[in-house]
Amino acid sequence: MTKRDYSLLGPDAARAVKTGLATAQWYHTEVPRKEMKALMQRSDQPAVRDTILLFGAMILLAGLGIALWPSPWSAPAWLAYGVLYGSAMDSRWHECGHGTAFKTPWMNNAVYQIASFCMVRNPVVWRWSHARHHTDTIIVGRDPEIVAMRPPALFRIFLNFFGILDALTGWKHMLQNAAGHLGPEEADFIPEQERPKVFRVARIWVLIYAATIVLAVAMQSILPLMVIGLPRLYGAWHHVMTGIMQHAGLADNVLDHRLNSRTVYINPVSRFVYWNMNYHVEHHMFPMVPYHRLPELHEKIKHDLPAPNTSILDAYREIWPALKRQLRYEDYFLKRELPGTARPYREDLHAEALGVPAE
Amino acid sequence: MAQWIDACATDDIDEEDLIRFDHDGRTFAIYRSPDDEFFCTDGLCTHEQVHLVDGLVMDYVIECPKHNGQFDYRTGEAKRAPVCVNLATYPAKVENGRVLIEV
C-alpha cells in the first residue's frame, strides 16, 4: 500500500514531475470547434440575474434576522443567510475566479472580491491555487485543493461542515499575509510579482474584521458578527456537502477527468447555490464554458462520460462506503463504468494508478 | 533570419477566431479579428504551454482554454492572471487571399 504525501514540497510532488503527471496533457471528449465556441460565449444576463437574486436575498434575510434578534425565531433567517454567505459565495468565488460567470470583466472581479472575502480565501492566493487544481487535478503532491485525501481525514471533513478548520486557517493566513508573510507552499505557486497584491487584500480584510469586532464590542452583542464572519461557519455545510461530491472516492494520479471527477444531478435550489458545478466532469474538461451553459455541454458529451449520480443522496451512497474503505486501504477507489458509446480509458496512461484492483 | 511563410487561406479562419499553424518544429496561432485583420502569435500559452487554438477569441483578446488567462493577440500583452509573461507576436499580412506570417 502506497503512503501518500500531499505536501506540495514533498516526495510525491517530485515524483509527479518526474513521471510526467504534472502539467500533463489530459483527455478531452471531442466537441466540434463551432459547437464549443458557441458554448464558451460569455453573457452578463444570467449572472446579473443570479447576483441580484443572491444579494437581494442576503439583504432580506439578514434584515429579518436583525429585526427578530435575539429571538429564536430569527434562527431560520440566519440559517438561510448563512448558506448564501458561507456556501453560495464559494461557487461565486469559483466561477468569477475563472472569469466565466459574467462577460464584463469588472463584474467578475467585483463578485470575485466579495466572495473571496466571505469565504476567507485570499483572492490572489486562491486564484493561483485553483489554477494548479485545474492543471494537476487530484495529482498527489501537486493539487493544493484535494478535500478528501487518502486515508480520508473524516473528523477534519466533519469539522469543515461548520467551516471550523478552513475558516480558522483562512483567518490565520489573513493575519500572516497582512503582516507581509507568505507560507512556503503558497510561495510554490504564486509568482513574485503577484505577492504585494496578496498582502494588500489581507490588510483591507483585517480592517473590515476589526471594524466589525469594534462594533460588536460597542453593542455588547455578537449581532455584527452574525452578519460578517460567523456565517462562514454556520453556513458552510452546503458547499462542503457539494464540494466532497466533486472528487471523493475516485481515482488519483490519472489524466482523465472521467476517472477523478463526478457529475451529479441535484435539486434546483442546490444548483442555484452551487452554480451548476454539479456538472463537474464537464467543468474540468472545459473550464471555459460558463456555468449557465454546463447543462447544454453535459447533453453534448454525456455519451462519453460515466453515468451521473442521480441525486446528492445517490452520490453519498457511493462516496461514504468508499471513504470508509480508504480508511483501511488507501489505494482503494471507485472506477466508474463508461457507457458503450464512450472512448475507453487510456489504461496505458494510467497503468500505475489503475493497476490496483478496484470495484 | 525571419522570412514570410504562407500559413493559410483567409477563409480558413472564421471571423473572431483562430487556427493553429505548425512550421519548422514551432507552433503558432493565427487570428482573424472582428474587423477582418489578421495577427500571429506563438501558439502556446506562456503560463503552462497549453495550445491556444482551443481557446476563445473575444474582440482582441485570446483566452487560454486551461486557466482562462488572457492576452491581447495584437500586442501579446498578458491581460489576466494566471498569465504574467507576454506572448511573442509576429507580423502577418494578406496577399491574394492568403495569410503570410513573418517568422
Side-chain angles (χ1 to χ4, degrees), chain A residues 23 26 33-34 37 40-42 96-100 127-128 131 134-135 191 193 287-288, chain B residues 14-18 47-48 53-56 58 63-68 80-82 84:
Chain A
T23 60
W26 285 68
R33 171 73 184 164
K34 274 195 190 313
K37 208 177 141 186
M40 291 190 293
Q41 291 304 316
R42 304 293 153 75
C96 295
H98 277 285
T100 51
R127 193 188 292 281
W128 287 91
H134 272 270
T135 303
Q193 67 267 36
M288 305 265 296
Chain B
D14 289 340
E15 192 179 288
E16 209 173 10
D17 205 359
L18 78 164
H47 173 225
E48 284 188 350
V53 68
D54 295 322
L56 180 64
M58 294 174 283
E63 186 171 291
C64 173
K66 188 75 175 175
H67 300 104
N68 310 85
R80 182 180 188 276
C84 299

Side-chain angles (χ1 to χ4, degrees), chain A residues 112-269:
Chain A
Y112 182 66
Q113 292 295 331
I114 294 167
S116 297
F117 172 79
C118 292
M119 297 309 295
V120 204
R121 291 175 189 158
N122 188 293
V124 182
V125 173
W126 280 76
R127 193 188 292 281
W128 287 91
S129 150
H130 198 64
R132 177 69 76 82
H133 173 62
H134 272 270
T135 303
D136 297 323
T137 310
I138 320 296
I139 302 292
V140 177
R142 292 285 298 178
D143 183 348
E145 295 185 5
I146 300 178
V147 174
M149 298 176 179
R150 300 194 212 167
L154 294 181
F155 186 62
R156 187 186 172 86
I157 292 171
F158 171 75
L159 290 178
N160 271 332
F161 270 91
F162 308 99
I164 291 169
L165 295 176
D166 281 352
L168 288 180
T169 304
W171 285 317
K172 188 178 108 185
H173 285 178
M174 174 187 75
L175 293 172
Q176 286 173 341
N177 294 158
H181 299 299
L182 205 62
E185 295 212 336
E186 292 169 336
D188 186 49
F189 55 78
I190 301 172
E192 194 79 43
Q193 67 267 36
E194 292 284 295
R195 296 177 189 179
K197 295 181 197 165
V198 175
F199 306 142
R200 188 168 61 240
V201 169
R203 286 163 189 156
I204 293 168
W205 288 10
V206 168
L207 288 176
I208 296 172
Y209 282 116
T212 308
I213 291 167
V214 166
L215 185 62
V217 171
M219 291 172 65
Q220 296 287 295
S221 165
I222 65 160
L223 186 56
L225 293 164
M226 289 296 286
V227 180
I228 294 174
L230 289 179
R232 174 64 181 84
L233 306 181
Y234 66 77
W237 64 270
H238 191 282
H239 95 265
V240 176
M241 174 186 75
T242 48
I244 287 170
M245 296 192 310
Q246 295 175 354
H247 308 285
L250 302 177
D252 60 12
N253 294 334
V254 292
L255 301 176
D256 187 334
H257 294 110
R258 301 176 300 176
L259 282 163
N260 69 10
S261 305
R262 181 182 281 107
T263 287
V264 185
Y265 293 144
I266 65 177
N267 67 77
V269 175

